[in-house]
Amino acid sequence: MAENVVATYYYPAAAPGAMEVCGAELGQGAGDKCFDDDGRPKRSGTMWTASAHIITAVIGSGVLSLGWAIAQLGWVAGPAVMLLFSLVTYYTSSLLADCYRSGDPSTGKRNYTYMDAVNANLSGIKVQICGFLQYANIVGVAIGYTIAASISMLAIRRANCFHQKGHGNPCQISSTPYMIIFGVAEIFFSQIPDFDQISWLSILAAVMSFTYSSIGLGLGIVQVVANKGVQGSLTGISIGGVVTPMDKVWRSLQAFGDIAFAYSYSLILIEIQDTIRAPPPSESTVMKRATVVSVAVTTLFYMLCGCMGYAAFGDGAPGNLLTGFGFYEPFWLLDVANAAIVVHLVGAYQVYCQPLFAFVEKWAVQRWPDSAYITGEVEVPLLPARPCKVNPFRATWRTAFVVATTVVAMMLPFFNDVVGFLGALGFWPLTVYFPVEMYVVQKKVPRWSTRWVCLQMLSLGCLVISVAAAAGSIAGITSDLKVYRPFKSH
């Protein structure tokens, strides 16, 4: 009985009209027109909607720190590291896509979430560690996106202030009210039940990401022309002038974390894949195509924005290209770009948090299947002609989650350091280790075979990078905490 409740609750039925048609056809043996092989309403996702979900998740606030990241590494290592991360992400995402179904890629048992896939292929403590890392990373991303959105809203106010009062005016404004505004918006959007119903939000967010990335790229090109040449050096920020040798090491490691964060979406890949329509072709085939499109598009944008940010400002590249005020004019264009960032982050927050929302709600339903508070719905008359149904538990728990992440974001608004730490925390285990281990089990790759050794070497190399990047980010956060005072204007 509990399983039926979970299925009905998390995958809402189609519209009443569609259900009537289905009901009429069921007697004629046409039930498969309405439901997939697992008895859930037919999925309708395509390569393009999956690509929109991925781009929404990937081209996030991370793109704006890439100019700073390349400034730490230089013209040689910066683009090379970015290309390396893109290739690793594409490869491991392809491995993970094969784990959506256990057994046959077209008819095998579906794994609805990343955790389900890990549980189906691995066992014991690995499953628990994966769950902790995935959901901890989601919480971290929610905090990071709240910080980024507030910084962009703050930048709009400051850009207008600089335009009116001059670039020398400090224009000190608190970010706290803007975090609260973003949190209120997320409370509202978090009531959307699941992935199937946020495709429109993902598409809108993907359009916004291209908008602000293009503006950042355009302003960078204009700055390069104004400078009459490309700034920067082959080895990055110079020792002695701006940083000490140890600072150079820590900043370079943190740059690795920033770039890793910019490619981090594997923790929601299975959930995105679960929206794709049934075979043929198989969901893994469609997902691999979506991954190719998404990683290629994002890498092109990353290269252009990151390299152009460094070319425009050299060693002085700001930590956030559109809010660090390397640019002051045209102020209205900066306003448009930062508004686009905010809209994008509203959608990205939801795309990332849906797996955590679903996990907690599924656990609650299984724990208390007969509770009206957990499984029931209350009609809220938002519109007279079409009342909205709200689940009490979903409303209260998701609201509490948004409030908690917003409060933490108010206390730790260090954009670059938080981004770098999140990238380091999630990259190796969720993007590399678990996909590799699941693929080895799923495809029965023989231990010590050439392929097995190559996969383990890839995993080990990425572990070293993640540990180093985490160390760099922790050093940065420690340095920030020495001078930062929470809830102050800046």
Side-chain angles (χ1 to χ4, degrees):
M1 179 62 187
E3 291 181 358
N4 291 336
V5 172
V6 174
T8 304
Y9 178 65
Y10 288 105
Y11 292 82
M19 289 304 294
E20 288 171 11
V21 173
C22 289
E25 290 178 341
L26 284 175
Q28 303 169 19
D32 60 340
K33 292 183 179 180
C34 310
F35 300 98
D36 279 331
D37 53 4
D38 59 348
R40 292 182 172 174
K42 270 217 175 281
R43 296 158 176 84
S44 58
T46 64
M47 183 192 79
W48 298 112
T49 60
S51 297
H53 283 314
I54 295 171
I55 291 171
T56 296
V58 178
I59 303 186
S61 54
V63 70
L64 302 172
S65 67
L66 293 179
W68 181 90
I70 292 181
Q72 312 313 308
L73 300 171
W75 281 118
V76 176
V81 169
M82 204 177 296
L83 187 61
L84 173 65
F85 273 95
S86 70
L87 293 174
V88 169
T89 300
Y90 165 69
Y91 181 69
T92 57
S93 296
S94 297
L95 300 183
L96 188 55
D98 285 332
C99 299
Y100 172 65
R101 286 183 184 266
S102 299
D104 189 274
S106 295
T107 60
K109 179 183 177 296
R110 296 174 185 265
N111 297 307
Y112 302 115
T113 66
Y114 193 108
M115 275 289 289
D116 287 346
V118 173
N119 202 28
N121 292 283
L122 306 175
S123 59
I125 192 68
K126 289 182 180 180
V127 178
Q128 297 169 7
I129 292 173
C130 172
F132 172 78
L133 288 173
Q134 183 188 12
Y135 299 130
N137 202 255
I138 288 172
V139 172
V141 167
I143 294 168
Y145 279 5
T146 303
I147 294 170
S150 71
I151 289 174
S152 291
M153 287 188 275
L154 188 67
I156 294 174
R157 279 286 307 278
R158 295 189 73 198
N160 294 336
C161 176
F162 288 136
H163 179 72
Q164 294 168 1
K165 300 180 181 180
H167 300 170
N169 192 292
C171 291
Q172 290 189 336
I173 305 167
S174 173
S175 62
T176 300
Y178 300 101
M179 292 192 187
I180 293 172
I181 291 170
F182 183 78
V184 170
E186 291 303 341
I187 288 173
F188 174 76
F189 283 106
S190 68
Q191 301 311 310
I192 299 174
D194 54 44
F195 260 122
D196 287 343
Q197 298 177 36
I198 61 171
S199 292
W200 65 272
L201 189 58
S202 282
I203 292 169
L204 174 63
V207 171
M208 292 296 104
S209 68
F210 285 122
T211 300
Y212 67 72
S213 298
S214 299
I215 292 173
L217 174 62
L219 290 173
I221 292 172
V222 170
Q223 187 68 38
V224 169
V225 172
N227 294 341
K228 297 181 179 178
V230 172
Q231 305 289 308
S233 64
L234 294 179
T235 56
I237 194 166
S238 56
I239 297 174
V242 181
V243 297
T244 64
M246 187 53 66
D247 286 338
K248 171 75 172 179
V249 172
W250 291 129
R251 285 182 173 218
S252 297
L253 295 179
Q254 187 184 330
F256 274 78
D258 284 1
I259 295 171
F261 179 78
Y263 279 104
S264 179
Y265 76 95
S266 295
L267 72 166
I268 57 171
L269 183 143
I270 296 290
E271 284 83 351
I272 292 173
Q273 193 167 344
D274 191 46
T275 67
I276 295 173
R277 64 166 63 111
S282 68
E283 295 92 350
S284 61
T285 301
V286 175
M287 196 64 191
K288 287 175 184 178
R289 292 173 186 167
T291 300
V292 169
V293 171
S294 305
V295 172
V297 168
T298 53
T299 301
L300 176 63
F301 262 77
Y302 284 175
M303 286 288 189
L304 290 173
C305 292
C307 292
M308 201 53 64
Y310 185 41
F313 299 108
D315 289 355
N320 187 312
L321 191 59
L322 291 173
T323 64
F325 289 97
F327 305 112
Y328 287 93
E329 301 290 344
F331 79 99
W332 59 268
L333 191 59
L334 286 173
D335 289 352
V336 171
N338 281 301
I341 293 171
V342 175
V343 174
H344 171 264
L345 290 174
V346 168
Y349 187 106
Q350 293 305 317
V351 169
Y352 261 103
C353 291
Q354 283 296 333
L356 177 58
F357 291 160
F359 169 77
V360 171
E361 288 154 25
K362 180 179 179 180
W363 171 82
V365 171
Q366 291 174 334
R367 181 72 177 78
W368 298 285
D370 300 321
S371 169
Y373 172 68
I374 301 293
T375 61
E377 290 184 327
V378 177
E379 283 196 359
V380 179
L382 292 178
L383 296 173
R386 191 175 182 183
C388 177
K389 290 186 177 181
V390 176
N391 173 263
F393 177 68
R394 182 172 69 223
T396 51
W397 125 252
R398 295 190 183 191
T399 299
F401 173 85
V402 174
V403 170
T405 54
T406 303
V407 170
V408 174
M410 290 176 188
M411 299 172 66
L412 295 172
F414 317 132
F415 179 74
N416 272 71
D417 296 327
V418 171
V419 160
F421 183 71
L422 292 175
L425 180 68
F427 180 73
W428 174 71
L430 298 172
T431 302
V432 182
Y433 176 75
F434 285 111
V436 164
E437 291 299 304
M438 286 190 288
Y439 181 81
V440 167
V441 172
Q442 179 113 334
K443 299 298 182 183
K444 297 180 174 61
V445 179
R447 184 179 286 268
W448 302 113
S449 65
T450 302
R451 186 162 205 184
W452 186 89
V453 170
C454 289
L455 288 170
Q456 298 305 320
M457 288 177 64
L458 170 67
S459 182
L460 181 62
C462 291
L463 171 61
V464 172
I465 291 173
S466 283
V467 170
S473 297
I474 290 171
I477 291 174
T478 303
S479 176
D480 288 336
L481 284 171
K482 291 177 182 177
V483 297
Y484 179 71
R485 297 293 178 270
F487 308 112
K488 298 289 185 182
S489 300
H490 50 83

